[in-house]
Amino acid sequence: MTRTVCIGECMIEMAPTDITGQFQMGFAGDTMNTAWYLRGLLGAEHQVDYFTALGGDSASRQMLAFLRQAGLGVDHIVQRNDRSVGLYLIQLDNGERSFSYWRGQSAARTLAQDNTVLEAVLKDADYAYFSGITLAILPPQDRAHLRDALVALRARGGQIVFDPNLRPALWSDPQEMRDEIMASAAISTMVMPSHEDEATWFNDRAPEATAWRYAAAGAQTVVVKNGAGAMFTCDGGHGAWHDPVAVKDVVDTTAAGDSFNAGFLAAAIRSAPLSEAVRSGAQLASKVIQSRGALVALS
Ligand code: AMP
């Protein structure tokens, strides 16, 4: 029995349907996608919680019902009656997807306001999972609250799993993003970056450079995802390459990284060797990118 807590923002997704001008409402968000897949992969003996803040309105209640129905633990979710949840709209223009966001005032931005709530959420957790997006939406002092609570969990023997998920548009400037990401990697036991983003924002020439940079910051294990290319891991100072899973027809790469993380983490939670965990991550991601949407049924 283990308990994993995924921390971040879930949003309402409005996605175009086949009928012109009509949209379908769903729920998605990087850390929630990972929690959702993790829940589907792990047996009932493992608990998976989602921690965020929601509003008190009907959209928030629908989101809460969705999370609960997915089998995620929602007991610690904070309710802010003066806020609502964030929303994004996907639009198709000649087959190209573009995204518009309304998330500036979302309740999730307040998730780390209160140290005592964070301590209670993480009290008996074995794994905590968060991302660069979780950090980006928080005010600076709340990022410090979150890191303090994670440091305390690590000191108790917990695993801190971090996906840098670099999204410069959510940060006030790229240097702030780089500083916060490195500070968070330094307190994490596992860091799971995507090489393409890291190459753009940290000038890493190859996946090894990404891995060693995070290892030097203090991460015990670094798993560098790499699109269709070979992945690189560094674990306790030992580096290794891993073959990709070939995909002929990529339909939609949404949630490739989020699902990879869930596949990897589910295997790691079951104490699988690193190479097997990477394979599980890549296999799940390869399945997810062959269907449309972030949340693809596992069976
Ligand atoms: P990325 O964030 O683009 O590096 O993708 C995350 C993971 O999803 C990769 O490490 C692969 O396991 C998988 N993936 C993404 N794109 C592809 C692709 N075109 N072919 C096969 N696997 C992919």
Side-chain angles (χ1 to χ4, degrees):
M1 159 83 188
T2 60
R3 177 167 173 260
T4 302
V5 182
C6 300
I7 305 165
E9 178 171 26
C10 178
M11 283 175 288
I12 293 178
E13 177 193 86
M14 299 302 292
T17 64
D18 292 339
I19 305 168
T20 309
Q22 292 200 2
F23 289 80
Q24 186 172 8
M25 179 173 155
F27 300 100
D30 66 333
T31 51
M32 198 287 290
N33 300 340
T34 300
W36 189 89
Y37 283 112
L38 201 51
R39 178 62 285 163
L41 291 170
L42 289 171
E45 70 278 19
H46 297 282
Q47 191 177 331
V48 183
D49 289 358
Y50 194 61
F51 178 66
T52 188
L54 303 176
D57 58 343
S58 141
S60 299
R61 281 195 296 279
Q62 268 181 273
M63 187 178 285
L64 186 64
F66 167 82
L67 296 170
R68 194 175 272 135
Q69 205 171 354
L72 295 167
V74 295
D75 289 354
H76 291 281
I77 288 180
V78 174
Q79 187 179 324
R80 310 264 182 226
N81 287 334
D82 57 340
R83 296 206 177 207
S84 185
V85 290
L87 177 147
Y88 68 96
L89 183 73
I90 305 174
Q91 281 179 301
L92 281 177
D93 193 8
N94 292 327
E96 281 292 309
R97 288 150 56 92
S98 75
F99 295 80
S100 301
Y101 289 90
W102 293 266
R103 71 192 304 190
Q105 286 301 312
S106 69
R109 291 185 177 248
T110 69
L111 70 85
Q113 230 168 43
D114 190 340
N115 300 50
T116 52
V117 171
L118 290 175
E119 279 161 24
V121 173
L122 295 175
K123 194 166 152 267
D124 57 358
D126 301 290
Y127 291 82
Y129 175 83
F130 72 120
S131 78
I133 295 179
T134 310
L135 292 173
I137 63 165
L138 301 180
Q141 72 274 16
D142 292 5
R143 289 178 201 142
H145 290 167
L146 179 59
R147 276 200 286 265
D148 288 348
L150 294 169
V151 166
L153 174 60
R154 185 171 175 173
R156 293 195 294 274
Q159 297 286 326
I160 315 301
V161 187
F162 176 56
D163 183 341
N165 228 337
L166 305 176
R167 295 288 181 276
L170 292 175
W171 295 90
S172 54
D173 76 83
Q175 194 51 45
E176 182 194 34
M177 173 179 79
R178 283 189 283 265
D179 292 346
E180 291 285 339
I181 293 293
M182 292 313 287
S184 300
I187 61 147
S188 299
T189 50
M190 295 183 199
V191 179
M192 312 203 53
S194 284
H195 176 62
E196 192 181 358
D197 294 345
E198 304 287 329
T200 306
W201 296 102
F202 283 96
N203 276 326
D204 297 335
R205 290 191 171 198
E208 294 109 302
T210 301
W212 295 119
R213 175 169 50 76
Y214 284 120
Q220 283 163 11
T221 307
V222 186
V223 180
V224 185
K225 292 165 279 180
N226 193 20
M231 293 147 285
F232 187 80
T233 57
C234 134
D235 184 37
H238 175 75
W241 285 99
H242 305 263
D243 290 337
V245 174
V247 175
K248 258 205 222 127
D249 294 312
V250 176
V251 174
D252 175 5
T253 57
T254 305
D258 306 335
S259 57
F260 179 100
N261 294 352
F264 176 88
L265 203 50
I269 287 171
R270 294 188 179 122
S271 308
L274 185 68
S275 58
E276 214 175 280
V278 171
R279 183 112 198 122
S280 301
Q283 264 163 353
L284 180 60
S286 72
K287 186 172 172 189
V288 168
I289 64 178
Q290 290 179 70
S291 293
R292 209 187 284 232
L295 305 178
V296 175
L298 293 177
S299 55

